[in-house]
Amino acid sequence: MCGIIGYIGNKNVSEVLFHGLYSLEYRGYDSAGMAISDGKDLKITKCVGRVSNLEDKYKKDNNKGFFGIAHTRWATNGGASLENAHPHSVGKVTLVHNGIIENADNIKLSLIDKGYSFSSETDSEVIAAFLDNELKNNNILNSIQVMRKELKGSYALGIIIEGEECIYAVRKDSPLLIGVNRNEFFLASDIAAILKYTNKYFLLDEGETAVLERNDYKVYRDEKIIHKDIITTDSKSQSLDKFDYEHFMLKEIMEEPIVLKNLIDSYKNGDNIKYYDISNYEEVHIVACGSAMYAGLIGQALIEEEANIKVNVYAASEYRYKKKIFNLKTLVILVSQSGETADTIAAMREVKEMNIPTLGIINNPNSTMARECDYVILINAGVEVAVATTKAYINQVCVLALIAYTTSLKKGLSNDVSISEFESIPNLLHDVLNNTFIYEEIAKDLYEHNNCFFIGRGIDYAICMEGSLKLKEVSYIHSEAYQAGELKHGTISLIEKGIPVIAVMSDRFLKDKTLSNLKETLARGAYGIVITTSELDDFKDFRKVTLPSVNSFCQSLLIVPTLQLISYYVSLYRGCDIDKPKNLAKSVTVE
Ligand code: M6R
């Protein structure tokens, strides 16, 4: 993962780099570091932990320079230590790296034979040593060409060479863009890091090397200078302010009615409407990771049930390596908030190679996937800062529900639901979210436990998967989501006195079945919590949440936010770092 930022120009370099690092911290927060140079002296500051630690450690007199590179790390090769923090310096080369070099161990051995020694466990230091060694016989552009041939894996690099007044930028399979302004230039993993200063940029393509100088920049391909078209983005620098909320996670959950309304309005306006109709396909593969995959499970339930099309859902990390069997009329739907998840990108590229159409359901409009999918529906949830996805997940589910809805209408299957029912959801959700008392009470029931179960059947099971992931992600409580009927095939042995079992029951045909399974756990001492709808609520003696009963396309849009809020409060009571849970990063850009 990791975020990288670089700047050359007349502004206060550290200010620009710190601003960039804070907006890239969602990519990892195990350590941070920066290098600032005036072409002669290069000052490096590093720390373990957050960017704020780096700022505390940073000495203002380090800022004697007009260019610099900086990094916030999500540890891959080697733990979160000062030695492993970037930038890495070897000989004449100082660099920051996002990605993973798969053959770093072999390259490292051959560099040790040549006399190099290493102070970190990282593959990134190996790149620095590799380039330094090449520079003994080559200029930097040629050295980078050799590096391209030798390194296997992914990289986005910002490189400073001793004695030179410029920054070099290269990439392969990791995002990197170059920001352009009058007499100042930037490199960044994400446009959000530089939008405060410029909305003009270009994307560096593989095989290209950008050289950012004080008053100019050049882009080389095979030693020839090439022209790059500048893109002007109209996305405003989005506020990263929490306003009155204590955490971004809470703010983003509370924004769900607004982002849902915007999405449903844009559907009604006909934006990309043709992509919502998949009636021409006989089979769909939904490929994604984490919560995006669980949104896909809801999509699967709705598209199969309502639009009568066969759907399989795959984890992108598995899909990319499995044998793929396509029907002539298969559509592959890729779901991703960031549009930069390494496994989902790899799966997308594999599928495209095989000439199978790809539809991306994506939040970040500037992402690799938004550029490369054949068709794209943007979910327009806005910037999501908390590592745990909430509002983006909800809009992913809403797009999939609208796909099921549009397709079922096209096939003449769902005449009794009107779009106005979708339009009523934001207001209903607003009321549901404001009923915080009950979520806080349930959180009080849960927060002292170390284990928890979610059970449900059909679409309720898909909802449980997301509820369970959210709880473990932000509160570190071990939680399992189970198909209610599967418990007694082994896992029920884990049920013991007091263990919370949360049963989601919104499907009128499956409710009684799930209730029987819940009772089986109660008989063994479990503490039952029920999430249900007004239509089905005849539950007595349970702690419960009763939600407005709506059509099956929309029901999950009211249920999952309640599970998000419960997880939020559990995390709060346990004193966890809600917006930046341990070991995680917002955007998983490594395999
Ligand atoms: O950016 P993406 O939607 O591709 O990310 C996929 C997962 O990494 C993501 O949903 C992850 O599971 C979240 N942290 C869950 O809250």
Side-chain angles (χ1 to χ4, degrees), residues 30-48:
D30 288 329
S31 64
M34 69 172 55
I36 294 183
S37 174
D38 59 6
K40 295 186 194 71
D41 289 333
L42 180 96
K43 292 260 171 57
I44 295 182
T45 314
K46 301 186 193 190
C47 74
V48 175

mmCIF file of all heavy atoms in Angstrom, residues 30-48:
data_model
loop_
_atom_site.group_PDB
_atom_site.id
_atom_site.type_symbol
_atom_site.label_atom_id
_atom_site.label_comp_id
_atom_site.label_asym_id
_atom_site.label_seq_id
_atom_site.Cartn_x
_atom_site.Cartn_y
_atom_site.Cartn_z
ATOM 1 N N ASP A 30 2.027 2.820 9.371
ATOM 2 C CA ASP A 30 2.986 2.116 10.238
ATOM 3 C C ASP A 30 4.215 2.966 10.526
ATOM 4 O O ASP A 30 4.833 2.853 11.574
ATOM 5 C CB ASP A 30 3.416 0.801 9.587
ATOM 6 C CG ASP A 30 2.298 -0.221 9.621
ATOM 7 O OD1 ASP A 30 1.505 -0.173 10.571
ATOM 8 O OD2 ASP A 30 2.220 -1.058 8.705
ATOM 9 N N SER A 31 4.612 3.772 9.549
ATOM 10 C CA SER A 31 5.731 4.699 9.760
ATOM 11 C C SER A 31 5.636 5.782 8.686
ATOM 12 O O SER A 31 4.846 5.663 7.742
ATOM 13 C CB SER A 31 7.084 3.974 9.651
ATOM 14 O OG SER A 31 7.264 3.480 8.343
ATOM 15 N N ALA A 32 6.429 6.830 8.857
ATOM 16 C CA ALA A 32 6.408 7.917 7.870
ATOM 17 C C ALA A 32 7.808 8.515 7.783
ATOM 18 O O ALA A 32 8.627 8.342 8.698
ATOM 19 C CB ALA A 32 5.394 8.984 8.284
ATOM 20 N N GLY A 33 8.055 9.205 6.669
ATOM 21 C CA GLY A 33 9.364 9.838 6.541
ATOM 22 C C GLY A 33 9.405 10.797 5.374
ATOM 23 O O GLY A 33 8.541 10.764 4.492
ATOM 24 N N MET A 34 10.399 11.706 5.405
ATOM 25 C CA MET A 34 10.558 12.619 4.262
ATOM 26 C C MET A 34 12.016 12.986 4.078
ATOM 27 O O MET A 34 12.814 12.927 5.026
ATOM 28 C CB MET A 34 9.665 13.853 4.382
ATOM 29 C CG MET A 34 10.000 14.843 5.447
ATOM 30 S SD MET A 34 8.967 16.357 5.291
ATOM 31 C CE MET A 34 7.312 15.750 5.316
ATOM 32 N N ALA A 35 12.357 13.329 2.844
ATOM 33 C CA ALA A 35 13.704 13.798 2.526
ATOM 34 C C ALA A 35 13.546 15.113 1.795
ATOM 35 O O ALA A 35 12.753 15.223 0.846
ATOM 36 C CB ALA A 35 14.413 12.794 1.630
ATOM 37 N N ILE A 36 14.286 16.145 2.247
ATOM 38 C CA ILE A 36 14.209 17.464 1.602
ATOM 39 C C ILE A 36 15.615 17.862 1.194
ATOM 40 O O ILE A 36 16.579 17.659 1.955
ATOM 41 C CB ILE A 36 13.587 18.501 2.553
ATOM 42 C CG1 ILE A 36 12.118 18.114 2.805
ATOM 43 C CG2 ILE A 36 13.685 19.909 1.977
ATOM 44 C CD1 ILE A 36 11.350 19.062 3.664
ATOM 45 N N SER A 37 15.733 18.417 -0.008
ATOM 46 C CA SER A 37 17.063 18.724 -0.529
ATOM 47 C C SER A 37 17.102 20.099 -1.189
ATOM 48 O O SER A 37 16.089 20.597 -1.689
ATOM 49 C CB SER A 37 17.447 17.658 -1.567
ATOM 50 O OG SER A 37 18.652 18.002 -2.183
ATOM 51 N N ASP A 38 18.305 20.680 -1.178
ATOM 52 C CA ASP A 38 18.513 21.903 -1.961
ATOM 53 C C ASP A 38 19.473 21.611 -3.120
ATOM 54 O O ASP A 38 20.038 22.512 -3.723
ATOM 55 C CB ASP A 38 19.067 23.023 -1.070
ATOM 56 C CG ASP A 38 20.389 22.622 -0.422
ATOM 57 O OD1 ASP A 38 20.912 21.534 -0.748
ATOM 58 O OD2 ASP A 38 20.893 23.389 0.407
ATOM 59 N N GLY A 39 19.651 20.344 -3.388
ATOM 60 C CA GLY A 39 20.557 19.957 -4.472
ATOM 61 C C GLY A 39 21.943 19.618 -3.943
ATOM 62 O O GLY A 39 22.691 18.896 -4.591
ATOM 63 N N LYS A 40 22.253 20.143 -2.764
ATOM 64 C CA LYS A 40 23.562 19.815 -2.161
ATOM 65 C C LYS A 40 23.338 18.943 -0.918
ATOM 66 O O LYS A 40 23.768 17.811 -0.848
ATOM 67 C CB LYS A 40 24.292 21.106 -1.784
ATOM 68 C CG LYS A 40 24.662 21.955 -2.984
ATOM 69 C CD LYS A 40 25.514 23.150 -2.546
ATOM 70 C CE LYS A 40 25.596 24.182 -3.653
ATOM 71 N NZ LYS A 40 24.306 24.912 -3.871
ATOM 72 N N ASP A 41 22.630 19.541 0.057
ATOM 73 C CA ASP A 41 22.367 18.778 1.278
ATOM 74 C C ASP A 41 21.003 18.107 1.207
ATOM 75 O O ASP A 41 20.042 18.715 0.715
ATOM 76 C CB ASP A 41 22.355 19.718 2.491
ATOM 77 C CG ASP A 41 23.752 20.197 2.795
ATOM 78 O OD1 ASP A 41 24.694 19.452 2.459
ATOM 79 O OD2 ASP A 41 23.878 21.310 3.332
ATOM 80 N N LEU A 42 20.960 16.913 1.737
ATOM 81 C CA LEU A 42 19.692 16.189 1.794
ATOM 82 C C LEU A 42 19.436 15.820 3.248
ATOM 83 O O LEU A 42 20.272 15.192 3.888
ATOM 84 C CB LEU A 42 19.794 14.920 0.947
ATOM 85 C CG LEU A 42 18.545 14.062 0.913
ATOM 86 C CD1 LEU A 42 17.720 14.391 -0.321
ATOM 87 C CD2 LEU A 42 18.898 12.594 0.880
ATOM 88 N N LYS A 43 18.282 16.250 3.762
ATOM 89 C CA LYS A 43 17.956 15.955 5.169
ATOM 90 C C LYS A 43 16.808 14.952 5.214
ATOM 91 O O LYS A 43 15.766 15.164 4.589
ATOM 92 C CB LYS A 43 17.515 17.232 5.886
ATOM 93 C CG LYS A 43 18.627 18.249 6.068
ATOM 94 C CD LYS A 43 19.171 18.145 7.492
ATOM 95 C CE LYS A 43 20.425 18.964 7.713
ATOM 96 N NZ LYS A 43 20.282 20.370 7.425
ATOM 97 N N ILE A 44 17.012 13.888 5.971
ATOM 98 C CA ILE A 44 15.967 12.858 6.066
ATOM 99 C C ILE A 44 15.434 12.816 7.496
ATOM 100 O O ILE A 44 16.211 12.828 8.448
ATOM 101 C CB ILE A 44 16.530 11.474 5.669
ATOM 102 C CG1 ILE A 44 16.933 11.478 4.198
ATOM 103 C CG2 ILE A 44 15.505 10.374 5.945
ATOM 104 C CD1 ILE A 44 17.456 10.171 3.671
ATOM 105 N N THR A 45 14.121 12.780 7.633
ATOM 106 C CA THR A 45 13.483 12.604 8.953
ATOM 107 C C THR A 45 12.536 11.416 8.837
ATOM 108 O O THR A 45 11.795 11.308 7.846
ATOM 109 C CB THR A 45 12.651 13.841 9.339
ATOM 110 O OG1 THR A 45 13.406 15.007 9.072
ATOM 111 C CG2 THR A 45 12.258 13.806 10.802
ATOM 112 N N LYS A 46 12.569 10.527 9.832
ATOM 113 C CA LYS A 46 11.681 9.355 9.803
ATOM 114 C C LYS A 46 11.117 9.120 11.185
ATOM 115 O O LYS A 46 11.704 9.529 12.184
ATOM 116 C CB LYS A 46 12.455 8.085 9.441
ATOM 117 C CG LYS A 46 13.174 8.072 8.128
ATOM 118 C CD LYS A 46 13.729 6.669 7.936
ATOM 119 C CE LYS A 46 14.726 6.620 6.809
ATOM 120 N NZ LYS A 46 15.073 5.251 6.466
ATOM 121 N N CYS A 47 10.006 8.399 11.238
ATOM 122 C CA CYS A 47 9.459 8.017 12.548
ATOM 123 C C CYS A 47 8.685 6.728 12.401
ATOM 124 O O CYS A 47 8.308 6.342 11.294
ATOM 125 C CB CYS A 47 8.528 9.112 13.067
ATOM 126 S SG CYS A 47 6.976 9.132 12.204
ATOM 127 N N VAL A 48 8.437 6.081 13.513
ATOM 128 C CA VAL A 48 7.522 4.941 13.534
ATOM 129 C C VAL A 48 6.140 5.502 13.849
ATOM 130 O O VAL A 48 6.014 6.446 14.628
ATOM 131 C CB VAL A 48 7.957 3.927 14.616
ATOM 132 C CG1 VAL A 48 6.951 2.782 14.731
ATOM 133 C CG2 VAL A 48 9.339 3.382 14.288
#
